[in-house]
Amino acid sequence: MAAAGWLGITMPEELGGSNLGVTEAAIMMHAVASSGGAQAAASSIHINLFGPHAIVVHGTDEQKSRWLTRSSR
């Protein structure tokens, strides 16, 4: 999921994401949960999609730099 870029579905393009919305992420999560992995698969990736969204939308530039870019790690 990470290598294929799916974990960045809600991230802005300038941060390496797809710049899609929460609706698209929910559709993707539905497909994951409907697969053989079911809820276990969905649980293992959902925080990577929805957790950082509040920082993307409401974070300061410093918070975005610290928490959303690879260069800060």
Side-chain angles (χ1 to χ4, degrees):
M1 295 298 284
W6 291 106
L7 296 183
I9 194 169
T10 61
M11 288 288 136
E13 289 179 10
E14 62 267 16
L15 295 174
S18 299
N19 202 39
L20 297 175
V22 173
T23 300
E24 290 84 1
I27 292 167
M28 185 198 73
M29 289 301 299
H30 181 269
V32 169
S34 298
S35 73
Q39 188 61 34
S43 289
S44 67
I45 63 171
H46 86 279
I47 193 63
N48 296 299
L49 299 174
F50 301 108
H53 193 69
I55 299 169
V56 170
V57 175
H58 303 290
T60 65
D61 288 339
E62 189 277 327
Q63 289 168 328
K64 290 176 184 179
S65 176
R66 181 173 180 194
W67 295 103
L68 302 178
T69 63
R70 288 184 177 190
S71 62
S72 64
R73 293 182 190 136

